[in-house]
Amino acid sequence: MSYVFNPAPVVSVPVFGSTQRFPVHRIYCVGRNYEEHAKEMGFSGREAPFFFMKPADALVVVNPGETASMPYPTLTKNLHHEIELVVALGKGGRNIAAADAHKHIFGYAVGLDMTRRDLQNEMKKLGRPWSISKGFDHSAPIGAITPAADAPDIASAEISLQVNAQQRQRSQISKLIWNISEVIEHLSAAWELQSGDLIYTGTPEGVGAVVSGDSMSAGITGLQSITVTVG
Ligand code: MN
């Protein structure tokens, strides 16, 4: 069999402590999953989870010990940072019960759900899809994935982001409105999940703009921190 042109390479993320890499299938994202962030965006924080997606090749992979950079995207004057816990699935399934969700998790990583906030606000107002504001090229920086067995206390971890060494976001994973297991239950009712899927679980309060030259440092207790500069 041959293709009419070379297929795109498999997108993959390093696994911390291993020479093997995690091959990425899809990227799901949860909207407004911390109460204080929902409030800062003008909502009550008490709604059912909702989802959007980013293309797998929107990832910007940050290797352990390295700094990565993402270009400042076109069409925006208000690029926002959103630090998020990313859940990496090692096993797929549909209609996964929350109680069984842990069996499907391969590991965890630190991610950034970069957002063209001005375009997102415009699309919300017009009732149009969010794709242009969320799923653009280089919109999903991610660090190495730590296997779940090496990150046993993730549910009580702290999550924080600094821009140019100044604190912008700081919260706890325990403040997720819908926890990791509940997110997997809801997602797997809507899609058949696959091994290789990544789930960006939502951002806490404190989102804000970055400009060219800024340096974002993002960390979650027990996971590989990432530093990403905006080009
Ligand atoms: Mn987000």
Side-chain angles (χ1 to χ4, degrees):
M1 214 242 317
S2 68
Y3 296 103
V4 294
F5 51 80
N6 289 334
V10 173
V11 175
S12 67
V13 179
V15 175
F16 187 64
S18 169
T19 55
Q20 289 190 305
R21 295 178 69 91
F22 180 93
V24 177
H25 178 243
R26 291 180 182 167
I27 304 176
Y28 296 99
C29 304
V30 187
R32 289 175 219 136
N33 202 16
Y34 289 82
E35 191 173 353
E36 294 306 315
H37 172 61
K39 284 181 186 164
E40 76 182 352
M41 300 303 285
F43 297 86
S44 73
R46 291 185 186 283
E47 57 178 51
F50 67 92
F51 307 102
F52 57 92
M53 297 173 81
K54 292 182 187 249
D57 64 359
L59 289 176
V60 174
V61 172
V62 188
N63 292 310
E66 292 180 10
T67 295
S69 75
M70 63 170 288
Y72 194 93
T74 59
L75 305 181
T76 185
K77 292 185 166 61
N78 196 16
L79 175 66
H80 270 208
H81 55 76
E82 296 190 356
I83 183 178
E84 310 204 356
L85 169 68
V86 182
V87 178
L89 298 188
K91 188 178 155 208
R94 58 177 71 169
N95 295 317
I96 300 165
D100 295 323
H102 63 280
K103 298 174 192 162
H104 297 260
I105 297 173
F106 172 80
Y108 305 99
V110 175
L112 292 170
D113 167 17
M114 299 304 295
T115 303
R116 287 162 159 160
R117 192 71 73 199
D118 42 1
L119 279 181
Q120 186 194 29
N121 290 339
E122 204 178 315
M123 294 303 118
K124 282 180 184 171
K125 216 178 299 168
L126 295 169
R128 291 182 183 167
W130 285 11
S131 302
I132 200 169
S133 64
K134 288 290 197 179
F136 55 92
D137 295 342
H138 315 288
S139 62
I142 189 169
I145 296 169
T146 297
D150 299 328
D153 298 324
I154 202 69
S156 57
E158 183 172 275
I159 178 169
S160 69
L161 176 130
Q162 292 87 36
V163 176
N164 304 330
Q166 281 198 315
Q167 193 77 41
R168 290 278 189 93
Q169 295 186 266
R170 186 179 208 95
S171 189
Q172 280 103 38
I173 300 301
S174 60
K175 292 189 176 172
L176 282 169
I177 296 171
W178 300 94
N179 68 31
I180 296 163
S181 297
E182 291 167 335
V183 163
I184 290 171
E185 178 172 298
H186 278 92
L187 256 185
S188 68
W191 289 273
E192 180 175 357
L193 299 178
Q194 305 283 344
S195 45
D197 286 342
L198 297 175
I199 306 169
Y200 280 60
T201 55
T203 196
E205 68 275 18
V207 300
V210 286
V211 297
S212 275
D214 280 350
S215 171
M216 302 178 284
S217 290
I220 296 173
T221 317
L223 305 184
Q224 287 295 298
S225 300
I226 59 172
T227 299
V228 179
T229 58
V230 181

